[in-house]
Amino acid sequence: APMAAGPAPDPRVLALAARVAEGSERDVPGLLLKLKEILSSASLGHQESKKIKQDIYFYDLIHYCLLVLRQDCSRLHGGWATAAQLAEIISHCCVGLEVKEDPEEFHKKFLPSAIDNLLFLGRRLQARFIRAIKDEERQDFLRHFQTVTDAICWLFGGHIQLTECVLQNDHFLQLLITDNVETAVTVMSVLHSILGVNSSVLLQVGEEILHSVLDELVYKLSSSTNPVVGNAATKLLLLMAKFCKQLLKLLATRYKGLNVLLSKQWTGKGFDRDLSQLLDLLYLEQSSGKGEMQRQHQAACIIQATWKGFLTRKRLKKLPQAVTTLQRSFRAKREQELQHLKKQKEDEALKLQMQLQRQRAMRLFHERQLALLEIIHPSQMSKHMQEMEVKSALTIQRFWRGYSARRNFHQQKQSLREYKAAVIIQRAACKFLEKRRRKRTLSPWKDPKGLTDEQRLALQQKVDDYIKLHPASQMSEEMSKELHTQAQEKLAQFLLRSRLDQRAAQRRETLLAQVNTDVELLMNAPRLAEITEKDLAVFMSRSVPVATRAKESHSAMLKHTRWPWWKKLGDEFEEDDVIPDDALNAELGSLFIGGRK
């Protein structure tokens, strides 16, 4: 939008504001860096420079710079270098800027906010520099840190009222409380610039801030041995003592052993001139009627300053952890409340569902009752009602007994738990005793002794000798074929011999059967005085004895079929043409057919 009444805005600023408004969030930091070129085109203090700064402030480009500094600068295009350049642009825009519309907002809100953002950026750069490992990264972060501190000095150099704002800011005290030499010297140089711009600013701030700054300076003198740190701290104390008598009195009364510390620890370190001036001022102040009690008080103040500095560092180091713990507990409590609400809703839904199911079950029960009443004959109604009462009573009794058993179980749960614990302990003790008993019976395992080099060589020699005496047999293809042929021939000879042996055994069995048959016939033959020609024919022909024996077997079978029923008990399940083996053995035991029994 064009300005109300006055000259036209700078076209470069107007074009840049349009590009920033239309561009993406990622491109905004790169576009804002062009403000440096626009500012450097006009000479400092010139009317054109003031007009450009007014246009930049009017189109909120400085506000965009402050918003960018609040972001994660490591993700910006150009990284921390871009953030340091933006801090420099903010300081140069604000110095020499004359705001005509609402100047109170600019001086009381915008400038303190700019100081706060720059100090916060300095803290992040200081932390990155301390954590950096590579020398190149450390140099880059230190250079960016010095650029930001120079921007802060330039800003409160153009607006003196900001010196009090810088000292009252918590970020400045945290920047000063550090053990790193490079950043500590840089911050002390900023404090030196503040005192050079406004020497009475320490009397305008609160007593707590003043004591914190003095405590930190005295702590650095007492704990550090670096001459650079000692020189910077000494110059600051000397500047405070020269500019304000009240601060010199405070140094002499609050830190009574400071002159002894300075003379013993920092004499001959390269800044004796400033050191001697500070010691003279302190001795002059102490010589005005202060004795041994004042020196003791000063020593106590130094101890307190050291201890307070230590506590402050410790508290600041624990601050992120405390914030993390607070956030974790808050989130856990919120999650617990959400879980409780969720569980409460589920219980209510479950109760409602159970109530609906109970109503549905009651409705179905009444419908069944009505259907049964319609089906049952009136004469059977009393009997049916009696049965229903019995079933209802049994159901009530069953539920009551279940409820009583559950209640008794819950009452006896502790004793049951103790009983189970005792059982578990007893089981573990029994297992332990059993393992110990087994370990006692078994002999302890002894690891085999390792072989020495001489024993290993002797065993290797024995193995080689055995291999030489018993070489492995290797057979060629011709030898394997010849061995196969021999095996086939021997197998054929064995099968032939087995057939011949089988025929000879069969012949022997036949002859033995014939001899047995003849013996039986002779034993059953009549005496010689009673023999006839017919009996003689039985022994003369080989077929006649067989026929005779078959006839006797047939007679035995006929005789068996004519037995009475009491002799054939147990033969009911046998076939009609099957004769018991005992009877056949008694009658046919000596009959041989075909040479076999």
Side-chain angles (χ1 to χ4, degrees), residues 452-513:
T452 62
D453 295 338
E454 297 178 357
Q455 293 176 350
R456 193 177 291 105
L457 291 175
L459 289 176
Q460 186 65 33
Q461 185 65 32
K462 289 181 180 180
V463 171
D464 295 339
D465 295 342
Y466 182 82
I467 291 173
K468 290 179 181 179
L469 293 175
H470 303 85
S473 60
Q474 296 181 358
M475 186 179 295
S476 62
E477 186 176 357
E478 293 78 5
M479 293 177 66
S480 63
K481 289 182 179 179
E482 184 179 356
L483 182 61
H484 179 69
T485 305
Q486 293 177 4
Q488 291 292 332
E489 291 177 356
K490 290 183 179 180
L491 180 61
Q493 293 175 5
F494 172 74
L495 292 176
L496 182 59
R497 285 197 303 270
S498 64
R499 290 173 185 169
L500 295 175
D501 294 341
Q502 187 177 4
R503 290 177 182 176
Q506 187 176 3
R507 185 178 180 185
R508 285 194 299 271
E509 291 180 358
T510 303
L511 293 176
L512 183 61

Side-chain angles (χ1 to χ4, degrees), residues 565-574:
W565 61 271
W566 49 271
K567 285 188 177 182
K568 295 189 288 184
L569 289 176
D571 299 338
E572 295 85 356
F573 301 101
E574 294 182 356

Side-chain angles (χ1 to χ4, degrees), residues 184-185 188-189 192 217 227-237 271:
V185 171
M188 285 191 287
S189 66
H192 193 279
L217 293 177
V228 179
V229 177
N231 187 15
T234 304
K235 286 183 178 180
L236 279 174
L237 293 178
F271 49 95

Side-chain angles (χ1 to χ4, degrees), residues 3 7 9 13 39 47-60 62 93 96-100:
M3 298 181 67
V13 177
L39 290 171
Q47 191 66 27
E48 182 182 359
S49 175
K50 295 182 179 180
K51 181 64 174 60
I52 290 174
K53 293 178 181 180
Q54 290 177 355
D55 294 340
I56 293 173
Y57 180 79
F58 180 80
Y59 289 105
D60 292 334
I62 302 181
C93 286
L97 175 62
E98 296 180 0
V99 179
K100 297 180 181 180

Side-chain angles (χ1 to χ4, degrees), residues 306-560:
T306 306
W307 176 248
K308 290 178 182 179
F310 169 74
L311 290 180
T312 305
R313 286 184 182 81
K314 187 176 180 181
R315 186 169 60 254
L316 290 176
K317 287 181 180 178
K318 289 184 177 181
L319 185 60
Q321 184 179 2
V323 173
T324 304
T325 305
L326 181 61
Q327 290 177 350
R328 189 187 301 113
S329 60
F330 173 74
R331 291 168 182 168
K333 184 176 181 181
R334 184 176 60 184
E335 184 68 21
Q336 186 177 3
E337 291 178 355
L338 292 176
Q339 292 291 339
H340 180 69
L341 292 175
K342 184 178 179 181
K343 185 177 180 181
Q344 188 176 3
K345 290 181 180 179
E346 291 178 354
D347 293 343
E348 292 178 355
L350 182 61
K351 289 181 180 179
L352 180 60
Q353 187 177 4
M354 291 178 63
Q355 185 178 2
L356 293 176
Q357 290 180 357
R358 192 179 295 110
Q359 292 177 358
R360 192 179 296 111
M362 291 295 293
R363 190 183 299 112
L364 291 175
F365 174 75
H366 289 305
E367 290 178 356
R368 290 175 184 174
Q369 289 291 102
L370 292 175
L372 288 175
L373 291 176
E374 292 177 358
I375 294 172
I376 296 174
H377 194 270
S379 61
Q380 301 292 329
M381 183 60 66
S382 59
K383 182 179 179 181
H384 173 70
M385 295 301 295
Q386 187 176 2
E387 291 177 356
M388 292 299 297
E389 289 177 358
V390 172
K391 289 182 180 179
S392 301
L394 291 175
T395 303
I396 295 170
Q397 290 176 359
R398 183 172 65 252
F399 277 97
W400 171 252
R401 288 168 184 169
Y403 169 73
S404 301
R406 286 191 296 273
R407 184 178 62 184
N408 294 333
F409 173 76
H410 287 298
Q411 291 177 355
Q412 299 175 0
K413 196 172 183 180
Q414 182 65 26
S415 60
L416 182 62
R417 187 183 293 109
E418 294 176 357
Y419 173 75
K420 288 183 178 179
V423 170
I424 292 172
I425 294 172
Q426 291 175 359
R427 188 185 299 116
C430 292
K431 287 183 179 178
F432 171 74
L433 295 175
E434 182 67 19
K435 288 181 180 179
R436 189 168 64 177
R437 185 180 61 79
R438 291 179 181 177
K439 288 182 180 179
R440 288 178 180 177
T441 55
L442 296 177
S443 60
W445 172 258
K446 295 183 179 180
D447 295 335
K449 296 182 179 179
L451 296 175
T452 62
D453 295 338
E454 297 178 357
Q455 293 176 350
R456 193 177 291 105
L457 291 175
L459 289 176
Q460 186 65 33
Q461 185 65 32
K462 289 181 180 180
V463 171
D464 295 339
D465 295 342
Y466 182 82
I467 291 173
K468 290 179 181 179
L469 293 175
H470 303 85
S473 60
Q474 296 181 358
M475 186 179 295
S476 62
E477 186 176 357
E478 293 78 5
M479 293 177 66
S480 63
K481 289 182 179 179
E482 184 179 356
L483 182 61
H484 179 69
T485 305
Q486 293 177 4
Q488 291 292 332
E489 291 177 356
K490 290 183 179 180
L491 180 61
Q493 293 175 5
F494 172 74
L495 292 176
L496 182 59
R497 285 197 303 270
S498 64
R499 290 173 185 169
L500 295 175
D501 294 341
Q502 187 177 4
R503 290 177 182 176
Q506 187 176 3
R507 185 178 180 185
R508 285 194 299 271
E509 291 180 358
T510 303
L511 293 176
L512 183 61
Q514 290 179 1
V515 170
N516 290 332
T517 303
D518 291 341
V519 169
E520 289 185 5
L521 290 175
L522 289 173
M523 291 178 66
N524 296 327
R527 291 180 292 181
L528 292 176
E530 298 175 358
I531 195 170
T532 60
E533 295 181 359
K534 187 177 180 181
D535 296 330
L536 184 61
V538 173
F539 296 97
M540 295 298 292
S541 175
R542 298 307 306 168
S543 60
V544 174
V546 176
T548 302
R549 192 60 182 164
K551 184 178 180 181
E552 291 179 357
S553 300
H554 181 67
S555 299
M557 293 175 65
L558 291 177
K559 184 179 178 181
H560 175 73

Side-chain angles (χ1 to χ4, degrees), residues 73-104:
C73 299
S74 60
R75 298 182 180 180
L76 298 177
H77 181 70
W80 296 98
T82 302
Q85 293 179 13
L86 290 177
E88 193 174 8
I89 290 171
I90 291 173
S91 63
H92 282 79
C93 286
C94 293
V95 175
L97 175 62
E98 296 180 0
V99 179
K100 297 180 181 180
E101 296 181 1
D102 199 2
E104 185 178 356

Side-chain angles (χ1 to χ4, degrees), residues 192-227:
H192 193 279
S193 301
I194 291 174
L195 295 176
V197 173
N198 187 3
S199 59
S200 62
V201 65
L202 291 175
L203 300 177
Q204 298 174 3
V205 298
E207 185 178 359
E208 183 179 358
I209 297 174
L210 176 60
H211 289 172
S212 299
V213 172
L214 293 176
D215 291 343
E216 185 59 27
L217 293 177
V218 174
Y219 173 79
K220 292 184 183 302
L221 289 171
S222 62
S223 62
S224 178
T225 58
N226 195 312

